[in-house]
Amino acid sequence: MEQLNREQEQSKKSKMPTGDQQDVEAQLIEIVEGINAAFREKDIEKIMSYYAKDVVAFDMMPPLEFNGVDSYRKAWQIGMDGMSETGPFEDAHRHFHISGDLAVMHSLCHMTGTLKKNNQKIDSWARYTGVFENRGGKWLITHEQFSVPIDMESEKAMWNLKPEKGMMQ
Amino acid sequence: MEQLNREQEQSKKSKMPTGDQQDVEAQLIEIVEGINAAFREKDIEKIMSYYAKDVVAFDMMPPLEFNGVDSYRKAWQIGMDGMSETGPFEDAHRHFHISGDLAVMHSLCHMTGTLKKNNQKIDSWARYTGVFENRGGKWLITHEQFSVPIDMESEKAMWNLKPEKGMMQ
């Protein structure tokens, strides 16, 4: 991760963000890290407070889409109920796109923890794209997509991929 | 699809887009439909012309991410080579987020065609999130994510989901 973090810093520097942009980036990171902390603390109300009421989410689990925060809450609750323990937050290769009241953050994120049903340890990297809107001074998530690639032969989810430099060229 | 299209129209109307917004939406739709047409015509140069050089893509196939247009071109080429015939483009539940030179479109998209290796027909709905930047007057895709949900028991890709109203509540 040390190498990834260095790259991340360099990527930020090369974009020479303005003060405003840095401020928005910090707020988006606070949201994503806030959700992860609330997930570990099993605080569903806190998690949902980061989402717009009309959020449309493409989650790793079905259905194809969750329309609205009440629908999406069920997915979070299932995810939360399925874990006996959740590891600390880590992500890599963060990219930001910010313009006015619209922002996008995408990254690779490391999911760790233990499944309640069989005590199986999880240790997987997934892909995250979050779309944020500033509504009345508060940034809210209005859309997100979260997935892992599929092995086209076995048609199975690829839980064991890692964001190593060599893989991404 | 008739019902979905009506919903789509209603969703557009309820947002009361300005002339500018409608114009940008039309340009984004042109890009997405242009890519699909070029895919059917097996015109890889045309497809890649819609992407920024520094695009970061999270595709349905591995690796976790494709960094840059040269890397992503290989994924498109593999997808193109694997199909003997590709069906017409269809998507549903389009949503747009536009601010200045940044735009996001997400939708459910219908993939149809025939796999070359075994003559298997494809008829699947997937989720698409595209991030676009206006650079020098031209909208380019700077990020996209494309996925299907995973069945958490079998860990297999769910190719048979459909965007029916009842599924999304």
PDB file of all heavy atoms in Angstrom, chain A residues 108-124:
ATOM      1  N   LEU A 108     -10.376   2.101  -5.942  1.00  0.00           N
ATOM      2  CA  LEU A 108     -10.401   0.668  -5.646  1.00  0.00           C
ATOM      3  C   LEU A 108     -10.485   0.548  -4.129  1.00  0.00           C
ATOM      4  O   LEU A 108      -9.782   1.270  -3.417  1.00  0.00           O
ATOM      5  CB  LEU A 108      -9.116   0.010  -6.162  1.00  0.00           C
ATOM      6  CG  LEU A 108      -8.889   0.179  -7.666  1.00  0.00           C
ATOM      7  CD1 LEU A 108      -7.566  -0.476  -8.080  1.00  0.00           C
ATOM      8  CD2 LEU A 108     -10.051  -0.414  -8.465  1.00  0.00           C
ATOM      9  N   CYS A 109     -11.346  -0.317  -3.629  1.00  0.00           N
ATOM     10  CA  CYS A 109     -11.482  -0.381  -2.172  1.00  0.00           C
ATOM     11  C   CYS A 109     -11.376  -1.805  -1.655  1.00  0.00           C
ATOM     12  O   CYS A 109     -11.808  -2.761  -2.275  1.00  0.00           O
ATOM     13  CB  CYS A 109     -12.758   0.301  -1.703  1.00  0.00           C
ATOM     14  SG  CYS A 109     -14.200  -0.144  -2.633  1.00  0.00           S
ATOM     15  N   HIS A 110     -10.749  -1.883  -0.521  1.00  0.00           N
ATOM     16  CA  HIS A 110     -10.367  -3.141   0.112  1.00  0.00           C
ATOM     17  C   HIS A 110     -11.419  -3.514   1.148  1.00  0.00           C
ATOM     18  O   HIS A 110     -11.621  -2.776   2.109  1.00  0.00           O
ATOM     19  CB  HIS A 110      -8.995  -2.948   0.765  1.00  0.00           C
ATOM     20  CG  HIS A 110      -8.312  -4.229   1.095  1.00  0.00           C
ATOM     21  ND1 HIS A 110      -7.093  -4.264   1.706  1.00  0.00           N
ATOM     22  CD2 HIS A 110      -8.679  -5.520   0.895  1.00  0.00           C
ATOM     23  CE1 HIS A 110      -6.728  -5.526   1.872  1.00  0.00           C
ATOM     24  NE2 HIS A 110      -7.663  -6.304   1.395  1.00  0.00           N
ATOM     25  N   MET A 111     -12.093  -4.633   0.911  1.00  0.00           N
ATOM     26  CA  MET A 111     -13.109  -5.098   1.860  1.00  0.00           C
ATOM     27  C   MET A 111     -12.504  -6.221   2.697  1.00  0.00           C
ATOM     28  O   MET A 111     -12.060  -7.234   2.148  1.00  0.00           O
ATOM     29  CB  MET A 111     -14.314  -5.658   1.113  1.00  0.00           C
ATOM     30  CG  MET A 111     -14.883  -4.721   0.052  1.00  0.00           C
ATOM     31  SD  MET A 111     -16.292  -5.494  -0.818  1.00  0.00           S
ATOM     32  CE  MET A 111     -15.477  -6.856  -1.678  1.00  0.00           C
ATOM     33  N   THR A 112     -12.500  -6.035   4.008  1.00  0.00           N
ATOM     34  CA  THR A 112     -12.014  -7.102   4.891  1.00  0.00           C
ATOM     35  C   THR A 112     -13.011  -7.312   6.019  1.00  0.00           C
ATOM     36  O   THR A 112     -13.769  -6.404   6.370  1.00  0.00           O
ATOM     37  CB  THR A 112     -10.635  -6.775   5.500  1.00  0.00           C
ATOM     38  OG1 THR A 112     -10.754  -5.577   6.272  1.00  0.00           O
ATOM     39  CG2 THR A 112      -9.567  -6.589   4.430  1.00  0.00           C
ATOM     40  N   GLY A 113     -13.013  -8.508   6.567  1.00  0.00           N
ATOM     41  CA  GLY A 113     -13.921  -8.815   7.669  1.00  0.00           C
ATOM     42  C   GLY A 113     -14.204 -10.299   7.731  1.00  0.00           C
ATOM     43  O   GLY A 113     -13.514 -11.104   7.087  1.00  0.00           O
ATOM     44  N   THR A 114     -15.241 -10.658   8.485  1.00  0.00           N
ATOM     45  CA  THR A 114     -15.590 -12.063   8.672  1.00  0.00           C
ATOM     46  C   THR A 114     -17.080 -12.246   8.432  1.00  0.00           C
ATOM     47  O   THR A 114     -17.899 -11.504   8.985  1.00  0.00           O
ATOM     48  CB  THR A 114     -15.244 -12.518  10.108  1.00  0.00           C
ATOM     49  OG1 THR A 114     -13.893 -12.153  10.397  1.00  0.00           O
ATOM     50  CG2 THR A 114     -15.401 -14.024  10.265  1.00  0.00           C
ATOM     51  N   LEU A 115     -17.421 -13.227   7.597  1.00  0.00           N
ATOM     52  CA  LEU A 115     -18.834 -13.539   7.336  1.00  0.00           C
ATOM     53  C   LEU A 115     -19.417 -14.297   8.524  1.00  0.00           C
ATOM     54  O   LEU A 115     -18.817 -15.259   9.014  1.00  0.00           O
ATOM     55  CB  LEU A 115     -18.962 -14.405   6.075  1.00  0.00           C
ATOM     56  CG  LEU A 115     -18.771 -13.731   4.720  1.00  0.00           C
ATOM     57  CD1 LEU A 115     -18.958 -14.761   3.613  1.00  0.00           C
ATOM     58  CD2 LEU A 115     -19.751 -12.571   4.543  1.00  0.00           C
ATOM     59  N   LYS A 116     -20.625 -13.887   8.946  1.00  0.00           N
ATOM     60  CA  LYS A 116     -21.247 -14.513  10.109  1.00  0.00           C
ATOM     61  C   LYS A 116     -21.609 -15.980   9.829  1.00  0.00           C
ATOM     62  O   LYS A 116     -21.416 -16.853  10.657  1.00  0.00           O
ATOM     63  CB  LYS A 116     -22.520 -13.721  10.456  1.00  0.00           C
ATOM     64  CG  LYS A 116     -22.890 -13.745  11.925  1.00  0.00           C
ATOM     65  CD  LYS A 116     -24.185 -12.975  12.164  1.00  0.00           C
ATOM     66  CE  LYS A 116     -23.900 -11.522  12.523  1.00  0.00           C
ATOM     67  NZ  LYS A 116     -25.138 -10.741  12.744  1.00  0.00           N
ATOM     68  N   LYS A 117     -22.115 -16.255   8.604  1.00  0.00           N
ATOM     69  CA  LYS A 117     -22.712 -17.579   8.334  1.00  0.00           C
ATOM     70  C   LYS A 117     -21.718 -18.735   8.387  1.00  0.00           C
ATOM     71  O   LYS A 117     -22.083 -19.850   8.725  1.00  0.00           O
ATOM     72  CB  LYS A 117     -23.445 -17.572   6.981  1.00  0.00           C
ATOM     73  CG  LYS A 117     -22.538 -17.366   5.767  1.00  0.00           C
ATOM     74  CD  LYS A 117     -23.300 -17.491   4.447  1.00  0.00           C
ATOM     75  CE  LYS A 117     -22.358 -17.272   3.274  1.00  0.00           C
ATOM     76  NZ  LYS A 117     -22.996 -17.372   1.975  1.00  0.00           N
ATOM     77  N   ASN A 118     -20.457 -18.485   8.038  1.00  0.00           N
ATOM     78  CA  ASN A 118     -19.492 -19.600   7.997  1.00  0.00           C
ATOM     79  C   ASN A 118     -18.112 -19.216   8.528  1.00  0.00           C
ATOM     80  O   ASN A 118     -17.142 -19.950   8.333  1.00  0.00           O
ATOM     81  CB  ASN A 118     -19.376 -20.137   6.561  1.00  0.00           C
ATOM     82  CG  ASN A 118     -18.997 -19.017   5.593  1.00  0.00           C
ATOM     83  OD1 ASN A 118     -18.671 -17.905   6.005  1.00  0.00           O
ATOM     84  ND2 ASN A 118     -19.025 -19.315   4.300  1.00  0.00           N
ATOM     85  N   ASN A 119     -18.047 -18.045   9.186  1.00  0.00           N
ATOM     86  CA  ASN A 119     -16.764 -17.566   9.738  1.00  0.00           C
ATOM     87  C   ASN A 119     -15.685 -17.354   8.676  1.00  0.00           C
ATOM     88  O   ASN A 119     -14.503 -17.296   9.007  1.00  0.00           O
ATOM     89  CB  ASN A 119     -16.238 -18.542  10.803  1.00  0.00           C
ATOM     90  CG  ASN A 119     -16.486 -17.989  12.203  1.00  0.00           C
ATOM     91  OD1 ASN A 119     -16.927 -16.844  12.362  1.00  0.00           O
ATOM     92  ND2 ASN A 119     -16.220 -18.803  13.200  1.00  0.00           N
ATOM     93  N   GLN A 120     -16.098 -17.269   7.419  1.00  0.00           N
ATOM     94  CA  GLN A 120     -15.122 -17.093   6.342  1.00  0.00           C
ATOM     95  C   GLN A 120     -14.557 -15.673   6.360  1.00  0.00           C
ATOM     96  O   GLN A 120     -15.301 -14.697   6.517  1.00  0.00           O
ATOM     97  CB  GLN A 120     -15.816 -17.361   5.003  1.00  0.00           C
ATOM     98  CG  GLN A 120     -14.856 -17.550   3.833  1.00  0.00           C
ATOM     99  CD  GLN A 120     -15.604 -17.566   2.495  1.00  0.00           C
ATOM    100  OE1 GLN A 120     -16.687 -18.160   2.394  1.00  0.00           O
ATOM    101  NE2 GLN A 120     -15.060 -16.894   1.500  1.00  0.00           N
ATOM    102  N   LYS A 121     -13.232 -15.573   6.228  1.00  0.00           N
ATOM    103  CA  LYS A 121     -12.596 -14.262   6.158  1.00  0.00           C
ATOM    104  C   LYS A 121     -12.764 -13.693   4.742  1.00  0.00           C
ATOM    105  O   LYS A 121     -12.560 -14.400   3.749  1.00  0.00           O
ATOM    106  CB  LYS A 121     -11.095 -14.380   6.452  1.00  0.00           C
ATOM    107  CG  LYS A 121     -10.769 -14.773   7.881  1.00  0.00           C
ATOM    108  CD  LYS A 121     -10.794 -13.585   8.815  1.00  0.00           C
ATOM    109  CE  LYS A 121     -10.498 -14.032  10.251  1.00  0.00           C
ATOM    110  NZ  LYS A 121     -10.897 -13.008  11.239  1.00  0.00           N
ATOM    111  N   ILE A 122     -13.081 -12.423   4.675  1.00  0.00           N
ATOM    112  CA  ILE A 122     -13.156 -11.714   3.393  1.00  0.00           C
ATOM    113  C   ILE A 122     -11.899 -10.870   3.243  1.00  0.00           C
ATOM    114  O   ILE A 122     -11.464 -10.239   4.207  1.00  0.00           O
ATOM    115  CB  ILE A 122     -14.390 -10.792   3.374  1.00  0.00           C
ATOM    116  CG1 ILE A 122     -15.670 -11.616   3.296  1.00  0.00           C
ATOM    117  CG2 ILE A 122     -14.325  -9.813   2.223  1.00  0.00           C
ATOM    118  CD1 ILE A 122     -16.907 -10.766   3.420  1.00  0.00           C
ATOM    119  N   ASP A 123     -11.335 -10.863   2.057  1.00  0.00           N
ATOM    120  CA  ASP A 123     -10.153 -10.028   1.802  1.00  0.00           C
ATOM    121  C   ASP A 123     -10.133  -9.738   0.299  1.00  0.00           C
ATOM    122  O   ASP A 123      -9.414 -10.391  -0.448  1.00  0.00           O
ATOM    123  CB  ASP A 123      -8.894 -10.775   2.253  1.00  0.00           C
ATOM    124  CG  ASP A 123      -7.632  -9.958   2.021  1.00  0.00           C
ATOM    125  OD1 ASP A 123      -7.725  -8.832   1.499  1.00  0.00           O
ATOM    126  OD2 ASP A 123      -6.538 -10.459   2.366  1.00  0.00           O
ATOM    127  N   SER A 124     -10.960  -8.802  -0.135  1.00  0.00           N
ATOM    128  CA  SER A 124     -11.186  -8.570  -1.562  1.00  0.00           C
ATOM    129  C   SER A 124     -11.085  -7.096  -1.926  1.00  0.00           C
ATOM    130  O   SER A 124     -11.481  -6.233  -1.151  1.00  0.00           O
ATOM    131  CB  SER A 124     -12.598  -9.029  -1.947  1.00  0.00           C
ATOM    132  OG  SER A 124     -12.682 -10.423  -1.971  1.00  0.00           O
TER     133      SER A 124
END
